[in-house]
Amino acid sequence: MATLKEILNNGDKFAKENGIQLTEVREGFARAEMIVEERHLNAAGVCQGGVYFTLADLTFAAVTNSHGPVSLGVQNSITYLQSARKGDRLIAETEETFNHHRLPFCQTRVTNQNGELLCVVSGSAYRKKDIFPFDKLQ
């Protein structure tokens, strides 16, 4: 059996194809990173909003599933604060702020390599009765 980090890094095909990798997974916390490439830019020449969301979504999945039960996002809100540019390293860190047995709530901060805050995401998940099949977190 694999770790939750390995399962999500390999199993989330969209995140993987976009160069996003979980670098840390703990119970209630996760971190992921990526480099902004040409393919991630929008028509204005800055990082497309869906990239931030996909990065945050992978850490959100790691955090909400870190307790064992299969958890799926039911609501997310994203606020863009600054643009990233080609070559920037994006770092998403998600923390579980409310560990409810059915509806956990998380907050994510996406920063660049200089620690500048680029966007914030908040969201809730729904925890099912099924157990996510992993050995350990990382």
Side-chain angles (χ1 to χ4, degrees):
M1 201 177 290
T3 67
L4 179 61
K5 181 178 165 185
E6 291 167 338
I7 292 167
L8 293 175
N9 273 336
N10 294 318
D12 189 319
K13 307 293 189 225
F14 190 73
K16 185 175 181 177
E17 288 295 319
N18 278 284
I20 298 169
Q21 286 287 305
L22 284 166
T23 57
E24 183 178 354
V25 178
R26 300 188 315 249
E27 191 171 284
F29 176 86
R31 177 185 173 113
E33 299 182 30
M34 66 168 290
I35 301 294
V36 178
E37 299 173 2
E38 185 75 29
R39 65 185 168 142
H40 300 122
L41 303 180
N42 64 19
V46 296
C47 189
Q48 204 268 350
V51 173
Y52 297 101
F53 188 83
T54 301
L55 178 65
D57 189 53
L58 187 62
T59 57
F60 177 81
V63 169
T64 59
N65 284 285
S66 68
H67 300 284
V70 172
S71 301
L72 303 169
V74 293
Q75 181 280 328
N76 282 279
S77 172
I78 188 166
T79 302
Y80 303 101
L81 303 170
Q82 295 187 67
S83 297
R85 307 209 181 281
K86 182 179 173 185
D88 283 348
R89 174 177 293 281
L90 302 185
I91 301 114
E93 293 184 331
T94 297
E95 289 189 73
E96 188 171 60
T97 54
F98 185 63
N99 181 18
H100 189 270
H101 68 284
R102 282 284 178 234
L103 296 170
F105 181 80
C106 298
Q107 293 181 308
T108 303
R109 295 171 48 91
V110 176
T111 58
N112 64 14
Q113 68 277 3
N114 301 318
E116 298 168 323
L117 185 61
L118 304 179
C119 80
V120 292
V121 183
S122 60
S124 298
Y126 176 76
R127 287 198 171 123
K128 299 173 69 173
K129 293 180 183 175
D130 305 331
I131 299 300
F132 207 108
F134 60 85
D135 284 331
K136 55 186 180 175
L137 297 176
Q138 63 174 42

